[in-house]
Amino acid sequence: MKKTSLYIGLTALLISASSCENGFDQLNTNPTATMALNPVFTFNNAIVNTAFPSQILIFEEPIVQQMFSPNSGIISGGNFNIDNRGSAGANAALWQRYYRDNVRYLVDVLAKTKSDANRSNLYNMARILKAYVSMVLTDTYGDVPYSEAGLGYLGLNITPKYDTQESIYNDIIKELTEAPAALDASKTIESADIMYAGDVTKWKRLAASTLLRAGMRLSKVNPALAQSTVQKAVAAGLMQSNADNFAVRNNSNYQNPVGVTLNSTEAANYYLTGNFVTYLKTTADPRLTAIAVRYVGAKSGPEQTTARANRDPSVQIGMPLGFDNGTIGARATADGLASFYDYSQLDRTRMGGLTAPNFLVTYAQTQLLLAEAAQRGWTTGNAADFYNAGVTAHMKQLADYGPATVIADADIATYLQKNPYVAANGLALINTQYWVASFLNGPEAFANFRRSGFPVLTPNPYPGKEIKGNFINRLSYPDAEISVNQTKVTEAITRQGPDNLDTRVWWDKQ
């Protein structure tokens, strides 16, 4: 009897459990939750993550001699002309950020919108952004994954092939020509887009201005293609003012990566170079007032206080290259300074602030590239007019950092009068201004320096360099990538050249 009762109890329990399972999925599903993520939000995530990682302070900024550190360890790199891979992995930072947080998301957006006629504008906006991101990657490393990039997320392809830089550029040009042409203001406007609120005209102008940049990048390796690409870009309609700038507008939730670094662990480690400060002072450039601060008399990081802060351009002294932590002290003494902490820095309360914007493609850069194109006879217009417009635009762009960095119109006019465009020295003048206008856009300043050869910089004399030449030509591939995709990386190295800082990318011809 007891055994029978036990069986009956178990049977009832099982029946009860079975009936409870019916509708379990419905009971545990939030009826108000979104079942699918709107791809425009994924797109926005990609936009936010185009802000460059702080490691541009380790490589690109020191290479083009705008900022550097005399200290070694994990921040070694362009300051000493040595590689920084392994556990520190500064060479990998841009790779990881752009493939993981840009390309992956953009490939997902493209997959979700390609066949959706209602989202054709988002699809083509993603094509434009992916072309920009891919240009930064290939300019930095050379041959990189492109046609199969991002497919690890969608198709489990974790060993993508490396495309040649030439083929990547050919496709970038195609994408920046076709995608903006397909944008249509009569179709769904992606108003949630955090860059331009879905403004089709602004996305078209970004595409054309990026196409102009791509065309000029080929000026040494393929002048004919460079010229025809420039002409396509001009015909498509370039940026018309600073209102068209492609910039990540940071805030308290999404802070500027460089600003975070400069306002925390590395606050006392990075300094404006002597070459950069001297150029700005020699030309009486009003931008120096917006850029620099010097903590006069500081003998340590803690002594870099507000009371010591001096932003007067006349007192700014950039740190000379060629010194490390063991030798910079004596040089500072020779320069009449209290210590190396007394040299000029990027003002981390303004342009180096936590919420400072990241400028990626700008009207100022576009006008300066137009000036060079006109100087070369590749487009119509007056090179001097484009030059003046480019310099003016960058000086006015600084107002976006806040009221303390506004440059008065009268100061801009005075500067242009004292530093006029001279056609005989046109390429040097244009590209030196491009160097200034690309300050804090390390990858672009690095790329245009290699492409144009300007400004003319004295090689960093630090004796412990690992490079054979005078300047770093590319960044090496990340160790993590080599470990998981060795066969494809080896194919790229065999084709391109040794995986070191001396190997030139395809368009960087001597």
Side-chain angles (χ1 to χ4, degrees):
M1 185 72 179
K2 289 182 180 178
K3 190 176 292 187
T4 303
S5 299
L6 179 61
Y7 289 149
I8 292 172
L10 284 173
T11 302
L13 181 63
L14 289 171
I15 292 171
S16 173
S18 175
S19 64
C20 286
E21 248 177 53
N22 293 330
F24 182 81
D25 291 341
Q26 288 80 5
L27 279 172
N28 288 276
T29 300
N30 181 352
T32 65
T34 301
M35 298 304 292
L37 180 66
N38 187 332
V40 75
F41 299 131
T42 307
F43 181 66
N44 285 340
N45 202 12
I47 289 175
V48 169
N49 285 296
T50 53
F52 302 120
S54 63
Q55 284 80 0
I56 66 168
L57 294 168
I58 295 177
F59 276 109
E60 290 92 337
E61 287 293 330
I63 294 169
V64 300
Q65 299 184 6
Q66 291 177 328
M67 280 195 293
F68 90 118
S69 174
N71 297 317
S72 57
I74 63 171
I75 59 175
S76 296
N79 54 346
F80 304 135
N81 279 322
I82 63 175
D83 209 344
N84 186 337
R85 41 206 311 173
S87 58
N91 67 317
L94 185 67
W95 180 288
Q96 291 170 344
R97 185 176 185 89
Y98 268 34
Y99 276 117
R100 181 185 61 206
D101 298 329
N102 292 96
V103 175
R104 177 166 69 100
Y105 294 128
L106 291 171
V107 168
D108 183 54
V109 173
L110 291 169
K112 285 182 168 63
T113 58
K114 184 175 183 178
S115 301
D116 187 346
N118 292 323
R119 309 305 292 272
S120 63
N121 281 334
L122 180 57
Y123 173 70
N124 287 294
M125 287 154 52
R127 291 172 71 188
I128 293 167
L129 182 56
K130 184 172 179 286
Y132 166 77
V133 167
S134 299
M135 189 186 303
V136 174
L137 283 166
T138 188
D139 288 346
T140 302
Y141 298 97
D143 293 2
V144 295
Y146 178 74
S147 59
E148 296 181 359
L151 297 182
Y153 175 65
L154 292 179
L156 301 181
N157 179 1
I158 62 171
T159 58
K161 73 174 184 178
Y162 280 52
D163 298 271
T164 66
Q165 186 174 63
E166 181 176 11
S167 68
I168 294 171
Y169 258 86
N170 287 338
D171 199 68
I172 285 173
I173 291 169
K174 177 185 75 68
E175 289 293 278
L176 292 174
T177 303
E178 293 179 359
L183 291 172
D184 188 343
S186 69
K187 296 183 178 179
T188 302
I189 298 300
E190 300 289 345
S191 58
D193 151 37
I194 60 170
M195 182 57 63
Y196 295 129
D199 188 323
V200 165
T201 298
K202 289 187 182 295
W203 277 102
K204 285 176 177 283
R205 290 173 180 171
L206 169 63
S209 299
T210 308
L211 182 62
L212 173 65
R213 179 181 287 187
M216 294 304 297
R217 202 79 93 224
L218 308 183
S219 60
K220 288 194 295 186
V221 70
N222 191 337
L225 179 58
Q227 180 176 356
S228 64
T229 303
V230 166
Q231 291 168 347
K232 280 183 182 179
V234 172
L238 302 166
M239 290 179 171
Q240 298 298 300
S241 71
N242 280 335
D244 295 331
N245 285 343
F246 181 58
V248 178
R249 308 287 176 177
N250 297 296
N251 57 36
S252 58
N253 293 317
Y254 298 96
Q255 296 181 334
N256 185 308
V258 169
V260 170
T261 293
L262 294 181
N263 282 278
S264 55
T265 57
E266 310 302 335
N269 277 338
Y270 283 98
Y271 295 82
L272 297 172
T273 71
N275 290 341
F276 191 49
V277 171
T278 298
Y279 174 76
L280 296 175
K281 290 182 71 172
T282 300
T283 57
D285 196 318
R287 286 171 287 196
L288 184 58
T289 305
I291 292 171
V293 64
R294 183 175 155 221
Y295 296 96
V296 179
K299 296 179 181 178
S300 66
E303 288 191 9
Q304 291 180 337
T305 61
T306 301
R308 294 181 183 275
N310 192 324
R311 296 173 177 86
D312 185 338
S314 66
V315 307
Q316 304 307 321
I317 302 174
M319 183 179 284
L321 297 167
F323 298 90
D324 57 23
N325 187 264
T327 58
I328 190 61
R331 177 56 192 262
T333 299
D335 285 339
L337 304 181
S339 71
F340 78 76
Y341 298 99
D342 199 356
Y343 284 110
S344 296
Q345 294 181 295
L346 171 67
D347 190 341
R348 52 186 179 265
T349 68
R350 297 183 295 164
M351 289 179 67
L354 293 172
T355 60
N358 290 99
F359 291 96
L360 306 172
V361 181
T362 67
Y363 173 61
Q365 292 169 326
T366 300
Q367 289 296 296
L368 290 168
L369 291 177
L370 268 179
E372 181 175 345
Q375 172 80 354
R376 291 177 179 273
W378 290 354
T379 189
T380 58
N382 185 282
D385 291 341
F386 292 134
Y387 174 86
N388 290 337
V391 175
T392 299
H394 185 248
M395 290 190 179
K396 287 186 170 295
Q397 176 185 309
L398 299 188
D400 280 4
Y401 291 102
T405 55
V406 172
I407 297 178
D409 290 347
D411 292 335
I412 298 174
T414 298
Y415 177 81
L416 291 172
Q417 184 178 22
K418 290 182 177 180
N419 300 277
Y421 179 77
V422 179
N425 195 31
L427 294 182
L429 287 170
I430 292 165
N431 286 289
T432 300
Q433 285 296 333
Y434 198 91
W435 175 61
V436 179
S438 299
F439 179 56
L440 295 177
N441 184 339
E444 182 58 20
F446 178 37
N448 198 67
F449 170 63
R450 287 173 288 161
R451 194 272 306 179
S452 70
F454 297 108
V456 176
L457 299 174
T458 301
N460 181 348
Y462 188 75
K465 69 177 185 178
E466 294 177 358
I467 60 174
K468 297 177 182 177
N470 290 325
F471 295 94
I472 292 172
N473 292 323
R474 64 179 282 275
L475 299 194
S476 56
Y477 294 127
D479 282 356
E481 172 67 9
I482 294 171
S483 68
V484 300
N485 197 13
Q486 186 171 14
T487 299
K488 304 297 175 58
V489 175
T490 301
E491 289 173 0
I493 293 170
T494 301
R495 180 175 61 232
Q496 177 173 262
D499 184 27
N500 58 36
L501 306 179
D502 285 300
T503 295
R504 293 175 179 268
V505 299
W506 165 74
W507 51 252
D508 183 19
K509 299 300 179 185
Q510 291 179 300

